[in-house]
């Protein structure tokens, strides 16, 4: 027996009734043109195909939102946040940060009393470059999104590496996954969704209302606007480094 979400959320939301959600089959078949970068569009499309292929056998109906943009709180350095892929199914909302890393080894260094540092090393090379911690990025905005949604709605995130030839070295967070991990994650999601009592199991109308809540949160925000916000933040950080060359702020 499923319990739908409340018909009327406790907070005010915008109405976007003219926005149509594609079915999971449509999402898997069609390219996504929302991203101004063709390479990002291709990697997102690949990840969506892998995610839908893993989740649909377990849930039947899954709905996908690509490039979901939400407003962040006032103290955030960037006023918007982007989720590459948001999946809504019977068990709740599953968010995916898609990384286009390929043919490389991904590893972490965990200094004493400091955040972990992430590195990417191409196969056959001894040189590595430092990259931003994808779990910190996704975890922070997911925490914010949870605060905007009903408390009994499961909201979980993963970082997915959709390309072959990516090797995870050492002990990595369980939220960092490859395509081979997705069927297991979908099975666990189905099991947890039907056994845990603290989260609402979504029936068909509740899935539709959850989709509406997410699109209402996005409102009129666009991907181009989020990219512009990110570039302005990066430009400001570069100017700060120019004024204070001795200070390096790691993120």
């Amino acid at each position: 027996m499923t319990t739908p979400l409340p018909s009327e959320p406790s907070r005010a939301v915008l109405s976007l009734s003219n926005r149509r959600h594609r079915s999971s089959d449509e999402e898997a078949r069609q390219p996504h043109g929302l991203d101004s970068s063709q390479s990002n569009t291709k990697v997102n499309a690949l990840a969506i195909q892998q995610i839908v292929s893993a989740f649909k056998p377990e849930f039947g109906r899954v709905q996908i939102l690509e490039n979901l943009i939400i407003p962040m709180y006032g103290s955030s350095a960037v006023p918007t946040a982007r989720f590459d892929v948001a999946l809504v199914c019977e068990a709740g909302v599953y968010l995916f940060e898609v990384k286009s890393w390929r043919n490389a080894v991904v590893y972490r260094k965990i200094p004493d009393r400091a955040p972990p540092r992430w590195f990417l090393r191409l196969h056959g090379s001894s040189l590595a470059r430092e990259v931003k911690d994808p779990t910190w990025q996704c975890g922070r905005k997911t925490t914010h999104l949870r605060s905007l949604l009903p408390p009994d709605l499961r909201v979980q995130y993963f970082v997915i590496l959709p390309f072959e030839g990516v090797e995870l070295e050492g002990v990595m967070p369980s939220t960092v996954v490859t395509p081979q991990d997705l069927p297991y994650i979908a099975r666990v999601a189905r099991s947890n969704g039907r056994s845990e009592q603290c989260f609402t199991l979504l029936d068909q109308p509740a899935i539709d209302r959850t989709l509406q809540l997410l699109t209402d949160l996005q409102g009129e925000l666009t991907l181009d606007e989020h990219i512009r916000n990110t570039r302005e933040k990066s430009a400001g950080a570069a100017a700060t480094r120019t004024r204070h060359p001795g200070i390096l702020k790691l993120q």
Side-chain angles (χ1 to χ4, degrees), residues 144-231:
H144 176 61
L145 179 59
R146 284 194 188 107
S147 72
L148 302 175
L149 295 173
D152 58 346
L153 175 64
R154 179 190 295 276
V155 180
Q156 190 168 355
Y157 79 89
F158 293 94
V159 176
I160 182 171
L161 313 176
F163 287 115
E164 298 292 336
V166 176
E167 179 184 346
L168 301 177
E169 185 175 275
V171 179
M172 302 294 286
S174 60
T175 51
V176 180
V177 301
T178 64
Q180 291 73 28
D181 301 315
L182 288 173
Y184 172 76
I185 290 170
R187 289 194 298 270
V188 171
R190 181 175 181 272
S191 176
N192 289 345
R194 297 185 177 184
S195 61
E196 294 184 1
Q197 301 300 316
C198 55
F199 293 108
T200 298
L201 198 62
L202 306 184
D203 58 12
Q204 298 301 319
I207 289 176
D208 291 335
R209 285 198 295 275
T210 301
L211 285 166
Q212 189 65 48
L213 284 174
L214 293 174
T215 51
D216 286 348
L217 281 174
Q218 178 162 343
E220 300 302 322
L221 295 173
T222 65
L223 179 59
D224 287 341
E225 182 177 353
H226 171 69
I227 292 173
R228 184 167 60 251
N229 291 337
T230 303
R231 287 174 177 168

Side-chain angles (χ1 to χ4, degrees), residues 43-248:
V43 69
N44 274 14
L46 175 61
I48 287 171
Q49 184 179 33
Q50 295 167 347
I51 293 165
V52 170
S53 295
F55 273 75
K56 192 168 183 182
E58 301 297 331
F59 293 101
R61 184 191 178 195
V62 296
Q63 292 287 339
I64 293 288
L65 291 174
E66 184 186 9
N67 293 321
L68 173 65
I69 311 298
I70 66 168
M72 293 294 284
Y73 36 78
S75 61
S76 177
V78 180
T80 53
R82 169 190 176 186
F83 294 99
D84 295 321
V85 181
L87 178 146
V88 183
C89 63
E90 184 182 4
V93 178
Y94 289 82
L95 307 163
F96 293 88
E97 181 90 359
V98 181
K99 292 299 181 185
S100 59
W101 302 335
R102 65 180 80 189
N103 299 321
V105 177
V106 182
Y107 63 96
R108 298 187 302 166
K109 291 183 178 179
I110 306 178
D112 292 336
R113 301 179 182 179
R117 298 173 64 188
W118 289 64
F119 296 88
L120 199 64
R121 185 182 74 247
L122 293 178
H123 288 301
S125 173
S126 60
L127 299 177
R129 66 182 177 92
E130 187 167 3
V131 294
K132 291 183 178 180
D133 180 348
T135 60
W136 183 89
Q137 290 178 294
C138 200
R140 178 172 170 269
K141 58 191 178 185
T142 299
T143 298
H144 176 61
L145 179 59
R146 284 194 188 107
S147 72
L148 302 175
L149 295 173
D152 58 346
L153 175 64
R154 179 190 295 276
V155 180
Q156 190 168 355
Y157 79 89
F158 293 94
V159 176
I160 182 171
L161 313 176
F163 287 115
E164 298 292 336
V166 176
E167 179 184 346
L168 301 177
E169 185 175 275
V171 179
M172 302 294 286
S174 60
T175 51
V176 180
V177 301
T178 64
Q180 291 73 28
D181 301 315
L182 288 173
Y184 172 76
I185 290 170
R187 289 194 298 270
V188 171
R190 181 175 181 272
S191 176
N192 289 345
R194 297 185 177 184
S195 61
E196 294 184 1
Q197 301 300 316
C198 55
F199 293 108
T200 298
L201 198 62
L202 306 184
D203 58 12
Q204 298 301 319
I207 289 176
D208 291 335
R209 285 198 295 275
T210 301
L211 285 166
Q212 189 65 48
L213 284 174
L214 293 174
T215 51
D216 286 348
L217 281 174
Q218 178 162 343
E220 300 302 322
L221 295 173
T222 65
L223 179 59
D224 287 341
E225 182 177 353
H226 171 69
I227 292 173
R228 184 167 60 251
N229 291 337
T230 303
R231 287 174 177 168
E232 289 174 354
K233 188 256 185 180
S234 299
T240 300
R241 289 195 295 272
T242 301
R243 293 194 299 270
H244 304 284
I247 299 175
L248 177 61

